[in-house]
Amino acid sequence: MTLEFRKATAADADQIWHILEKAIARRKAEGSDQWQDGYPNPAIVAYDIENDHGYVLVAGDKIAGYVALLINDEPAYLDIKGKWLTDGDFVVYHRVAISDEFLGQGLAQQMLTHIDSYALENGITSVRADTNFDNKGMLRIFEKQGYVYCGEVFFRDAARLAYEKVLNAG
C-alpha cells in the first residue's frame, strides 16, 4: 500500500470528520472520557485546515488517518507538571485518528514517523504530544516510537499524560 502524508484541504473535511466521529465512538466504547465533551468537532477540523495545521495520511484515494500539527503552539505545555526534555522549538500534534477501514495496520505509527520527518524538515528535533491516561493504544505507540514520559498537562480541566521525543538531526 502506497501512503502519502500531505496537508489536508477543505475538500477533505467531511472524510476527516467521519474518521474523527468513529474514533470518538471507539473511545466511548472503550470506556474513556477522552473526546466525549464535544471536542474535537467539525469547527475544529475546519480551523485546522484553514490554518494549515491539518494533515492526512492517504492510502490510494482514501484518507486513512488525520492529525493536526503545530510548531511551538500549545499554551498548555507551558504549565507542565513535570519537565520537558528540551527547551527549544518543538512540533506538537493533536487529534490523531485512523479510519476504521485501516485499523490494525500500523498506520498510526507510520503517521508518527511522518511527523518526525516534518519536524526535521523544519529544523526541529523535539516532538511533543499528550494523551488521556486510559488511551492504551496511544500509550503503546508512544513507547514503541521512543517517546519519554515528561509529566502532566491540563486541557479543559483534565490531566493528560505528556510525552516528548528528541530526534536525531544527523
Side-chain angles (χ1 to χ4, degrees), residues 10-85:
D12 300 326
D14 288 342
Q15 282 186 74
I16 292 166
W17 175 239
H18 180 72
I19 290 167
L20 283 166
E21 274 186 309
K22 294 288 189 176
I24 290 165
R26 279 196 308 273
R27 296 298 297 136
K28 184 175 186 171
E30 293 166 358
S32 176
D33 61 358
Q34 183 178 9
W35 289 359
Q36 303 305 308
D37 61 355
Y39 168 94
N41 55 54
I44 294 290
V45 172
Y47 177 87
D48 287 347
I49 293 170
E50 288 165 14
N51 291 280
D52 293 327
H53 302 314
Y55 283 78
V56 289
L57 187 65
V58 181
D61 61 349
K62 295 181 181 176
I63 295 177
Y66 177 73
V67 65
L69 292 178
L70 299 95
I71 296 176
N72 297 329
D73 188 11
E74 184 44 75
Y77 284 12
L78 296 173
D79 295 321
I80 188 170
K81 185 177 171 186
K83 181 158 179 36
W84 294 111
L85 302 175

Side-chain angles (χ1 to χ4, degrees), residues 93-114:
Y93 58 90
H94 294 297
R95 299 180 280 291
V96 173
I98 300 297
S99 168
D100 282 359
E101 185 177 340
F102 294 93
L103 289 176
Q105 298 179 31
L107 295 191
Q109 289 185 67
Q110 289 189 45
M111 191 154 44
L112 268 55
T113 300
H114 285 289

Side-chain angles (χ1 to χ4, degrees), residues 85 93 96 105-117 125 127-129 137-149 163-168:
L85 302 175
Y93 58 90
V96 173
Q105 298 179 31
L107 295 191
Q109 289 185 67
Q110 289 189 45
M111 191 154 44
L112 268 55
T113 300
H114 285 289
I115 293 168
D116 292 352
S117 296
T125 57
V127 180
R128 297 178 183 175
M138 199 68 201
L139 292 170
R140 275 194 304 277
I141 290 170
F142 284 160
E143 184 178 328
K144 287 179 184 177
Q145 293 283 317
Y147 283 76
V148 175
Y149 173 73
Y163 288 81
E164 183 175 11
K165 179 178 182 180
V166 179
L167 305 172
N168 183 344

Side-chain angles (χ1 to χ4, degrees), residues 142-163:
F142 284 160
E143 184 178 328
K144 287 179 184 177
Q145 293 283 317
Y147 283 76
V148 175
Y149 173 73
C150 294
E152 292 182 351
V153 293
F154 295 85
F155 289 95
R156 298 180 311 282
D157 299 321
R160 313 265 294 168
L161 304 177
Y163 288 81

